[in-house]
Amino acid sequence: MTIPRVSPGPPRVQIQTQSGCNGRCVFCPNEVTLKSGMPHGKMKPELFEKIIDDLARTPPRRISLYLMNEPLLDKRLPEFVRYTTERIPSASTLVTSNGTYLKPERAEALIDAGLKRLKVSLQSLDPARNKAIMGYGSEKVIENILATKCIIEEKRAKKFDFRISMVITRDNEKEVEQARRFWKSHGIRLVTSALENRG
């Protein structure tokens, strides 16, 4: 009897476990989505586990636990990360957050759960400019980022990939090198990307 081959699955998968975001980034359509009339809420844990169990048959290279939302609004996120890591250890797990809820206990829980990559989206070191771009100031986010860096060092999590993400717009393009120098002085990598229309 010939066992049918399972077709390879997608190399990258994004899973949004909860709708909603406390930011209002000029480059993100989440506000339009929230007002679209589509159903919103939290994904049931049983559904999340089924998705991961199905993916385990054809493991993707990367599983991102966010989409058009702020993933740290979901307090269950460390549990979801742990389940994903245990079922698909070969996958690189990634969370991109706006950093407003990245308190030390939340950062520690994600690292302990086995998260492999964490990106914090911050568009300007200047509080007023960041508020204009993202809907909130940068002070608390910078504080949370530096606290997370300390936790990574305390845990000696050298393989943990932690970086800052900056989308280049006409509002912040002149700040990129200053931001790069600032984050480098704290041992944190800054990555930049071009503005896109998600079309």
Side-chain angles (χ1 to χ4, degrees), residues 6 44 53 66 76 98 102 121 124 129-130 164:
V6 177
K44 291 182 179 179
D53 291 344
Y66 71 97
R76 307 167 302 166
N98 64 32
L102 189 62
S121 178
S124 178
R129 191 167 291 113
N130 198 73
I164 309 305

Side-chain angles (χ1 to χ4, degrees), residues 79-176:
E79 299 167 36
F80 290 149
V81 169
R82 188 178 303 281
Y83 190 83
T84 304
T85 302
E86 289 173 354
R87 292 289 288 121
I88 314 175
S90 62
S92 174
T93 46
L94 167 65
V95 165
T96 296
S97 166
N98 64 32
T100 53
Y101 286 85
L102 189 62
K103 302 301 180 191
E105 59 275 10
R106 195 77 58 90
E108 187 169 11
L110 288 170
I111 295 167
D112 289 345
L115 185 69
K116 293 176 183 171
R117 298 176 61 193
L118 175 62
K119 279 200 295 188
V120 177
S121 178
L122 185 69
Q123 307 311 312
S124 178
L125 297 172
D126 178 80
R129 191 167 291 113
N130 198 73
K131 186 170 184 176
I133 299 172
M134 301 189 77
Y136 49 84
S138 56
E139 307 99 312
K140 284 289 182 187
V141 177
I142 294 170
E143 186 180 307
N144 290 345
I145 290 167
L146 297 179
T148 298
K149 176 64 176 174
C150 289
I151 290 168
I152 293 167
E153 290 172 350
E154 287 168 10
K155 290 185 165 292
R156 297 180 181 176
K158 292 179 182 178
K159 291 185 178 180
F160 188 74
D161 186 345
F162 183 50
R163 56 182 75 177
I164 309 305
S165 173
M166 195 172 178
V167 177
I168 308 303
T169 66
R170 62 178 173 225
D171 298 318
N172 66 6
E173 61 186 352
K174 294 178 181 175
E175 298 180 53
V176 175

Side-chain angles (χ1 to χ4, degrees), residues 9-117:
R12 299 178 191 87
V13 176
Q14 286 189 271
I15 304 171
Q16 180 171 310
T17 64
Q18 175 175 304
S19 56
C21 182
N22 61 317
R24 288 296 176 265
C25 300
V26 296
F27 48 79
C28 182
N30 83 62
E31 187 168 11
V32 176
T33 304
L34 289 170
K35 294 177 179 177
S36 68
M38 292 171 61
H40 299 288
K42 290 184 176 182
M43 180 182 287
K44 291 182 179 179
E46 300 80 19
L47 176 58
F48 180 84
E49 291 174 7
K50 182 185 185 312
I51 292 169
I52 297 301
D53 291 344
D54 288 346
L55 288 172
R57 298 178 63 225
T58 57
R61 291 197 303 270
R62 185 172 77 198
I63 299 175
S64 303
L65 300 178
Y66 71 97
L67 187 58
M68 287 194 299
N69 69 327
E70 169 45 47
L72 295 187
L73 284 170
D74 192 340
K75 294 180 180 178
R76 307 167 302 166
L77 191 62
E79 299 167 36
F80 290 149
V81 169
R82 188 178 303 281
Y83 190 83
T84 304
T85 302
E86 289 173 354
R87 292 289 288 121
I88 314 175
S90 62
S92 174
T93 46
L94 167 65
V95 165
T96 296
S97 166
N98 64 32
T100 53
Y101 286 85
L102 189 62
K103 302 301 180 191
E105 59 275 10
R106 195 77 58 90
E108 187 169 11
L110 288 170
I111 295 167
D112 289 345
L115 185 69
K116 293 176 183 171
R117 298 176 61 193

